[in-house]
Amino acid sequence: MTSADKRSNVREGGHSNGGGTVKGFVRKVHSPHPSLNDSLEGEIQAFLIDEDQLHTYDDLTKVNPVTPTTVLKCLQARYRVKVFYTHAGCTLVALNPFQPIPDLYTLDVMKEYHCAPQPQEFKPHIFIVAEEAYRNVQNQLEPVNQSLVVSGESGAGKTWTSRCLMKYYATVAAASSVVNSQDTVERIERRVLDSNPIMEAFGNACTLRNNNSSRFGKYIQLQLDRRQLLVGASVQTYLLEKTRVACQPANERNFHIFYQMLKGATDEQRKEWKMPCGKHFVWLPNSEKTVEEDSFQETVEAMVHLGIKAERQRQLFRILSGILQLGNLNFSSMDESQPCDLDEQSKDFLQRAADLLCVPAEELLTSLRVRTLKAGKQSVLKPCCRAECSMRRDCLAKVIYAQLFEWLVTFINNSICADKSTWCNFIGVLDVYGFECFQINNLEQLCINYANEKLQQHFVAHYLRAQQEEYVSEGLEWSFVKYQDNQSCLDLLEGSPVSVFSLLNEESRLNRASDAKTMKVRLEKELGNNANISWDKFSKQPHFTVAHYAGQVSYQIQGMVEKNKDPVPPELIKLLQESENSLLHHIFTDKETEIPTSKGLSKVTVVSKFKNSLESLMRILHTTTPHYTRCIKPNPDCKPLTFKKEEVIMQLEACGIVETIHISAAGFPIRIPFNGFMQRYGLIAKYSHVKSGIHSIDAGADYILQRGVENLLSVVSQHEAFDPLCEDNSGKHNSWVHCGRTKVFLTQLMLDFLEYQRKKVLCQCAFSIQCCWLRYQRRRRCARRLSATRIQAVVRSWLVRRQLQRWNRAAAVIQNTWRMWRALLKALAETELDDAKDLLEADVPQLNAIIRERGSVQLSFIQKPVSVRGWPLGLALASAPSITMSLTATGFQKMVSVMASLNLPSRRGEYKLEPNQYSQELASIRAQPKGSVKLHYPQSPLLYADRKPDMKNDMSGFNAILLEKSL
């Protein structure tokens, strides 16, 4: 790989190829001369002497010397103390414990690795690989998109590792979400995780080597937005082993979903699915075996969370039950000219299958027993032999299950995939079937092992070959490390112009019956010169043997061409398109019936389809930063904590772990172009106190860029924090960094130091920016406060002035009103008071002595008697108010007159009247020394006058208005 990486911790490795060509030369430091074998053996023995310390090697690059024996011993020692992860340079080796380790994958452990400043300082773990990829996305280091390649043979723990990776990302990507989007993130992460049990139920099966073996490949893209939060995911699948539906190898099982239905269904569901207890199904072997994945309830809950409604689930399970019913159909033929017959029990299963698939039973039977041949424009019906009927039955089951699986994948993608505008980067998790080698291997195993060859070739091309060639081209003093190249094996399988796949496709497109012996002859003729293919001349069955990177595998030719054709009779497709089951009708409505053309060539084969999808996957991997995890199977029997040396050493040699360790220990895993290096780390010299002499750099001038990089590295090496790194090498820091012709080559130690210095400079710059910003904000706040104070003062002064003006106007009104009122009162008083002069001038009639004596009263404060002009007795008020005055009356008649007028009680010659002037609103009492007494009220007392008072009236006073001329 030659693409520019700003911080690309290249996940690399080597491999052994059984029959591959050896490239390169041996690096002297790690591959001693044969004459030094005795010295090497002595070093190995000295290293292995202290076995108690072998488990402490977290990184196998620290092992000295690096040999298969020392690596194996270290892994065995770590496995013995239940340490299952070990760094092998830039790859991670994972040993399968074959038992649950609950404390190893808890939420607290995830948070610990996610929040650690340097996760590499922690113990090796799959979460370190996950966190490194996540931080690469956060730092936007090219290429930003990441791929986690989990490889290993079947049963090594790839599926579990992929599951842990998905759970980790769903946790850390949702942990930093804001409150308003928390529900959305939880919904997305829940759906992403719930896709796992569904995919495993429909795509995994129990095999001889693994209880949960993936029978398909999948590449899961976890979609992240600009804040690196999980917003969606998508799933791409590769080559489902649909032949397992109708044909299960010995001592193996069908897909998990069938056993989940058989063991987890309720009585009502069994009745609906026509699967009574104790019923035997031919396509469900080893149903008595129970594995952890037989959890029907978990699958149903996952379907609910993904949005598959109850009615759609009901249709789905009816289809699956119908497939099982088809497996119990047995055909018998007495006359080949007549269609095959079914026994009585098979007829019952046929009716059940037809009911569950919602198709007519007669049409189903006809499509299985009779095929339609085209003769020009006419159609000819031809009865099928017994073998053909069985093949058509199997084909019907396989095509239904394959389309059902494809519909599930599409539904999951529609449920969890985010819109393209909402995500910008992704982290891919690749989980493919491991390398397989059984007693009988056919087209499925050939495609699976071909996929593993492609991944191994990517492993080699990305690291072992490309990186070493780049070292030489960049001027590093480097001797090639020996490795095995599997390119010759890939040329055998997919090369041009002639290869195994091209011959298979050519034979499949011919409109004739395939013959295994003829195919073998063609292979021997066309590919006999290739060292990676061989034949056993003494074998009775036609076959060929391929030398893969992981070992030799013998493939049976019989049936391989037919599987590659994968023919689907058009009668079956038409029957399924007319099904009354809406789900079955939907998934087959748009399916094109593959009918051979006039030249006898079909449109596409299984091999070509798989090859195209795999090439698409490899293009994705080449545009991302890969991270490799090698899963190792410690023993072939899946026993907990059992370590078989022979089994492990074979896998270590196959995947090139030892070569990977050699290159990782001696090489520079990080390669950054000059331009990118200066863009990222140039600020270290710019803000350094050391004189660097770096001036403006032209991005197009390589020489100037190189000088700038050298000056920058010189500045870094003079930094005081760099001294501890160089004390063991007396200033020879070029063991951590090398400046090539166009790139800078760094070790992880040097990269960490550069990142630390860059972070320190950025923190200083951020602090300066914060200070300037705070100063600006404080000044702006002070200016705003001063402006606000001025505005408030102006407003307050205006409000005070306006209030004073209102008060002045109100005071003037009050004064004017008060003066007018005083004047009015004065005027009223003047008019109401009896002026002495007026009294003297007035023509007062002379009263005779008797009347005068009777009508005069002696007031207590007037020396002379005063004439009282009494109110007429008939007008005495019934409820007149009273006033207080002291009257002194002389003479009996005078006293009776006053008492009669005032209705006053006698008090021994002194009569008092209590005025209620405050409640009755007495206005004034005016009296002149020689005039009459006047009592004024605001309202006329005539309104209350009682002209005919009687004794029952409670008179409390008299009318206070004394009329002048009443007497």
Side-chain angles (χ1 to χ4, degrees):
M1 180 177 177
T2 59
S3 61
D5 297 336
K6 290 185 180 178
R7 186 186 173 187
S8 178
N9 295 353
V10 185
R11 299 302 177 193
E12 311 138 321
H15 59 283
S16 298
N17 184 355
T21 60
V22 179
K23 289 190 177 183
F25 302 94
V26 180
R27 185 174 173 82
K28 294 181 180 180
V29 176
H30 300 287
S31 298
H33 194 272
S35 62
L36 301 178
N37 284 341
D38 294 339
S39 176
L40 178 60
E41 290 295 333
E43 292 179 4
I44 294 175
Q45 294 300 325
F47 177 78
L48 298 178
I49 242 174
D50 193 3
E51 294 186 1
D52 295 338
Q53 299 298 320
L54 294 180
H55 70 277
T56 61
Y57 287 90
D58 291 339
D59 196 335
L60 296 177
T61 57
K62 300 176 182 178
V63 175
N64 188 21
V66 178
T67 64
T69 303
T70 55
V71 171
L72 180 67
K73 285 291 185 179
C74 288
L75 292 177
Q76 184 179 14
R78 293 174 65 81
Y79 193 74
R80 188 183 300 114
V81 296
K82 297 184 178 181
V83 179
F84 308 107
Y85 291 104
T86 307
H87 289 300
C90 49
T91 63
L92 182 70
V93 177
L95 295 170
N96 193 342
F98 292 115
Q99 68 176 18
I101 311 293
D103 297 335
L104 199 58
Y105 307 98
T106 61
L107 184 61
D108 293 335
V109 176
M110 294 182 189
K111 292 181 178 179
E112 182 180 4
Y113 280 91
H114 178 59
C115 300
Q118 294 293 335
Q120 292 80 5
E121 298 177 358
F122 286 71
K123 293 182 179 180
H125 201 289
I126 187 62
F127 294 158
I128 292 182
V129 180
E131 182 62 24
E132 183 180 354
Y134 188 67
R135 294 191 181 187
N136 284 350
V137 177
Q138 287 182 320
N139 296 331
Q140 294 292 295
L141 299 176
E142 293 293 340
V144 180
N145 297 327
Q146 311 289 310
S147 289
L148 304 178
V149 182
V150 183
S151 60
E153 68 174 54
S154 180
K158 300 184 301 300
T159 300
W160 172 260
T161 303
S162 301
R163 195 185 305 172
C164 292
L165 290 171
M166 292 181 61
K167 188 174 182 181
Y168 180 83
Y169 287 124
T171 301
V172 301
S176 58
S177 61
V178 292
V179 176
N180 57 3
S181 65
Q182 184 66 33
D183 296 338
T184 303
V185 174
E186 287 183 354
R187 178 179 62 86
I188 292 299
E189 69 150 10
R190 182 65 180 272
R191 289 191 175 188
V192 171
L193 295 179
D194 283 335
S195 64
N196 261 340
I198 297 179
M199 300 291 287
E200 292 182 11
F202 284 83
N204 290 20
C206 181
T207 64
L208 291 174
R209 301 176 63 85
N210 187 5
N211 287 340
N212 190 30
S213 177
S214 298
R215 309 319 301 164
F216 71 105
K218 64 175 178 287
Y219 183 71
I220 303 173
Q221 283 187 350
L222 302 176
Q223 300 160 348
L224 306 175
D225 62 5
R226 296 186 182 276
R227 297 175 297 169
Q228 288 76 51
L229 299 180
L230 183 65
V231 295
S234 64
V235 182
Q236 302 176 25
T237 59
Y238 307 95
L239 190 65
L240 174 69
E241 188 189 17
K242 59 184 179 181
T243 56
R244 183 171 290 269
V245 176
C247 181
Q248 303 80 34
N251 299 322
E252 294 189 1
R253 302 202 318 174
N254 209 324
F255 292 103
H256 290 321
I257 186 62
F258 295 112
Y259 298 93
Q260 292 179 1
M261 294 172 57
L262 187 65
K263 299 178 181 181
T266 62
D267 294 338
E268 182 180 353
Q269 289 173 332
R270 288 180 180 275
K271 183 177 180 181
E272 181 183 2
W273 300 340
K274 304 183 186 302
M275 296 175 60
C277 293
K279 196 68 175 180
H280 174 71
F281 292 97
V282 177
W283 287 349
L284 289 185
N286 302 313
S287 57
E288 68 282 353
K289 183 178 180 179
T290 302
V291 296
E292 183 182 355
E293 287 70 26
D294 291 343
S295 178
F296 181 64
Q297 189 62 31
E298 181 181 359
T299 303
V300 173
E301 290 178 358
M303 288 183 175
V304 173
H305 293 153
L306 283 174
I308 302 179
K309 298 181 179 180
E311 179 61 25
R312 191 62 90 185
Q313 293 182 32
R314 176 176 171 271
Q315 298 171 357
L316 176 66
F317 293 129
R318 285 177 63 88
I319 295 173
L320 294 175
S321 180
I323 292 176
L324 292 180
Q325 307 293 338
L326 290 175
N328 287 9
L329 298 182
N330 294 321
F331 296 93
S332 59
S333 176
M334 301 299 295
D335 186 2
E336 293 186 359
S337 62
Q338 298 297 326
C340 296
D341 296 327
L342 293 175
D343 54 28
E344 292 299 326
Q345 189 175 7
S346 295
K347 291 180 180 179
D348 184 29
F349 285 112
L350 177 69
Q351 186 61 46
R352 294 181 182 181
D355 294 340
L356 292 170
L357 298 177
C358 298
V359 296
E362 290 298 328
E363 294 184 12
L364 175 60
L365 180 60
T366 302
S367 63
L368 294 177
R369 298 191 303 172
V370 180
R371 61 175 176 170
T372 303
L373 300 178
K374 292 288 185 178
K377 295 183 180 180
Q378 296 181 352
S379 298
V380 179
L381 301 179
K382 180 181 179 181
C384 298
C385 64
R386 180 179 178 181
E388 290 177 335
C389 290
S390 299
M391 184 193 69
R392 292 168 76 89
R393 174 204 62 194
D394 297 347
C395 180
L396 177 62
K398 291 187 294 183
V399 72
I400 292 176
Y401 193 84
Q403 290 298 312
L404 203 59
F405 183 80
E406 185 177 339
W407 174 83
L408 267 176
V409 173
T410 304
F411 187 92
I412 290 174
N413 283 332
N414 292 336
S415 177
I416 65 178
C417 187
D419 187 78
K420 181 61 179 177
S421 60
T422 61
W423 63 275
C424 53
N425 302 116
F426 68 85
I427 298 177
V429 180
L430 179 62
D431 176 21
V432 296
Y433 10 60
F435 186 84
E436 292 184 350
C437 179
F438 302 122
Q439 291 182 353
I440 300 177
N441 303 285
N442 211 285
L443 183 64
E444 295 83 6
Q445 282 68 43
L446 180 62
C447 292
I448 288 173
N449 294 337
Y450 163 67
N452 282 272
E453 289 283 355
K454 291 288 287 185
L455 291 176
Q456 184 66 17
Q457 196 265 348
H458 176 265
F459 195 33
V460 171
H462 181 77
Y463 186 66
L464 294 180
R465 179 172 60 244
Q467 185 164 335
Q468 294 189 89
E469 291 175 353
E470 189 175 31
Y471 290 159
V472 175
S473 64
E474 289 289 332
L476 277 73
E477 296 180 1
W478 182 266
S479 297
F480 276 84
V481 174
K482 182 180 179 180
Y483 66 91
Q484 297 289 342
D485 193 355
N486 67 336
Q487 186 60 49
S488 60
C489 183
L490 286 174
D491 293 339
L492 169 69
L493 297 177
E494 64 172 1
S496 179
V498 180
S499 63
V500 174
F501 287 166
S502 65
L503 293 176
L504 271 176
N505 289 334
E506 183 180 343
E507 188 70 21
S508 300
R509 291 189 176 101
L510 296 177
N511 190 15
R512 67 183 184 188
S514 61
D515 182 67
K517 294 182 179 180
T518 304
M519 184 64 187
K520 180 182 177 181
V521 171
R522 291 200 64 188
L523 290 172
E524 289 178 346
K525 179 181 178 180
E526 301 290 345
L527 303 173
N529 296 329
N530 196 303
N532 289 82
I533 189 171
S534 59
W535 294 267
D536 185 2
K537 297 181 180 180
F538 300 100
S539 176
K540 296 181 180 180
Q541 295 292 335
H543 74 282
F544 62 94
T545 302
V546 177
H548 292 284
Y549 76 95
Q552 294 188 348
V553 180
S554 179
Y555 298 99
Q556 188 180 38
I557 301 178
Q558 185 66 40
M560 186 174 289
V561 176
E562 289 297 327
K563 289 183 178 180
N564 191 37
K565 291 179 180 179
D566 194 22
V568 180
E571 302 89 353
L572 299 179
I573 299 298
K574 183 179 180 181
L575 176 67
L576 296 174
Q577 289 176 344
E578 297 175 354
S579 172
E580 296 181 1
N581 186 309
S582 60
L583 176 59
L584 196 61
H585 174 77
H586 170 71
I587 61 181
F588 280 97
T589 298
D590 300 329
K591 180 175 176 60
E592 297 182 358
T593 305
E594 295 181 0
I595 304 176
T597 61
S598 59
K599 295 184 179 180
L601 300 178
S602 60
K603 294 182 179 179
V604 67
T605 62
V606 172
V607 167
S608 60
K609 186 188 301 184
F610 178 69
K611 187 172 178 290
N612 292 334
S613 62
L614 194 59
E615 288 177 353
S616 174
L617 171 65
M618 299 311 297
R619 283 193 296 269
I620 295 176
L621 294 181
H622 281 299
T623 58
T624 59
T625 301
H627 304 262
Y628 295 102
T629 300
R630 294 293 192 180
C631 296
I632 303 296
K633 188 176 183 180
N635 64 86
D637 302 322
C638 302
K639 293 181 180 180
L641 301 178
T642 301
F643 194 91
K644 297 290 186 182
K645 296 181 181 179
E646 299 80 6
E647 183 80 9
V648 175
I649 195 65
M650 182 176 63
Q651 297 176 63
L652 293 177
E653 292 176 351
C655 60
I657 290 295
V658 177
E659 291 85 350
T660 304
I661 297 171
H662 277 304
I663 297 178
S664 298
F668 301 92
I670 297 98
R671 298 156 293 169
I672 307 177
F674 288 158
N675 193 18
F677 185 83
M678 291 302 299
Q679 287 180 0
R680 186 167 184 84
Y681 302 110
L683 51 86
I684 297 177
K686 181 178 179 181
Y687 293 95
S688 176
H689 299 292
V690 182
K691 295 183 178 180
S692 61
I694 298 179
H695 305 287
S696 60
I697 297 175
D698 184 7
D702 293 340
Y703 177 75
I704 299 178
L705 275 173
Q706 185 175 5
R707 291 299 303 273
V709 171
E710 292 174 352
N711 291 334
L712 173 58
L713 294 176
S714 176
V715 170
V716 173
S717 64
Q718 297 176 26
H719 200 280
E720 57 181 4
F722 192 74
D723 292 341
L725 300 179
C726 301
E727 61 184 5
D728 296 336
N729 296 275
S730 24
K732 297 181 180 179
H733 60 274
N734 57 354
S735 59
W736 288 285
V737 60
H738 180 83
C739 186
R741 293 188 177 95
T742 61
K743 294 182 180 180
V744 181
F745 294 84
L746 307 169
T747 61
Q748 185 65 42
L749 184 64
M750 188 65 186
L751 180 67
D752 292 340
F753 179 76
L754 287 172
E755 287 293 327
Y756 169 75
Q757 291 297 320
R758 180 176 181 271
K759 183 178 180 181
K760 186 177 179 180
V761 171
L762 289 177
C763 289
Q764 293 175 352
C765 295
F767 179 75
S768 300
I769 294 173
Q770 288 175 351
C771 292
C772 295
W773 174 249
L774 291 175
R775 181 172 62 250
Y776 165 74
Q777 282 190 323
R778 180 166 298 180
R779 289 177 176 176
R780 190 172 64 173
R781 281 197 301 267
C782 291
R784 287 182 175 180
R785 187 181 294 110
L786 181 60
S787 301
T789 304
R790 292 177 178 174
I791 293 173
Q792 290 173 355
V794 171
V795 172
R796 285 170 182 163
S797 63
W798 176 77
L799 290 175
V800 169
R801 287 196 301 270
R802 191 179 67 171
Q803 186 67 24
L804 288 176
Q805 291 173 359
R806 292 180 61 185
W807 286 352
N808 291 335
R809 289 195 299 269
V813 171
I814 293 173
Q815 290 175 354
N816 293 333
T817 305
W818 171 252
R819 292 190 185 99
M820 292 174 62
W821 182 74
R822 289 293 300 272
L824 178 63
L825 288 181
K826 185 175 181 180
L828 289 176
E830 290 178 353
T831 57
E832 291 174 356
L833 293 178
D834 294 330
D835 193 356
K837 296 180 179 181
D838 295 340
L839 290 175
L840 294 175
E841 296 175 358
D843 187 13
V844 181
Q846 297 292 327
L847 300 177
N848 56 32
I850 299 174
I851 295 176
R852 183 179 183 84
E853 183 180 357
R854 294 179 179 176
S856 62
V857 294
Q858 182 67 44
L859 298 178
S860 58
F861 54 89
I862 300 178
Q863 297 295 329
K864 296 181 178 181
V866 178
S867 300
V868 176
R869 300 180 182 182
W871 188 260
L873 186 61
L875 293 179
L877 298 181
S879 58
S882 60
I883 65 171
T884 301
M885 73 173 57
S886 298
L887 298 175
T888 303
T890 58
F892 176 77
Q893 292 181 351
K894 186 182 296 184
M895 181 177 64
V896 170
S897 176
V898 171
M899 292 180 62
S901 299
L902 303 178
N903 194 19
L904 300 175
S906 175
R907 295 185 59 187
R908 294 185 179 182
E910 189 173 284
Y911 301 94
K912 293 183 179 181
L913 188 62
E914 300 290 338
N916 194 4
Q917 63 186 38
Y918 296 103
S919 60
Q920 300 299 333
E921 301 179 357
L922 181 64
S924 63
I925 301 175
R926 305 289 181 181
Q928 293 293 335
K930 294 182 179 181
S932 59
V933 178
K934 295 183 179 181
L935 295 89
H936 298 277
Y937 281 79
Q939 296 181 358
S940 174
L942 295 177
L943 297 176
Y944 307 97
D946 187 359
R947 295 182 179 277
K948 296 181 179 181
D950 50 21
M951 297 302 296
K952 63 181 180 181
N953 288 335
D954 186 11
M955 292 186 298
S956 59
F958 65 97
N959 194 330
I961 299 179
L962 304 181
L963 301 179
E964 292 286 343
K965 306 298 183 179
S966 58
L967 294 177

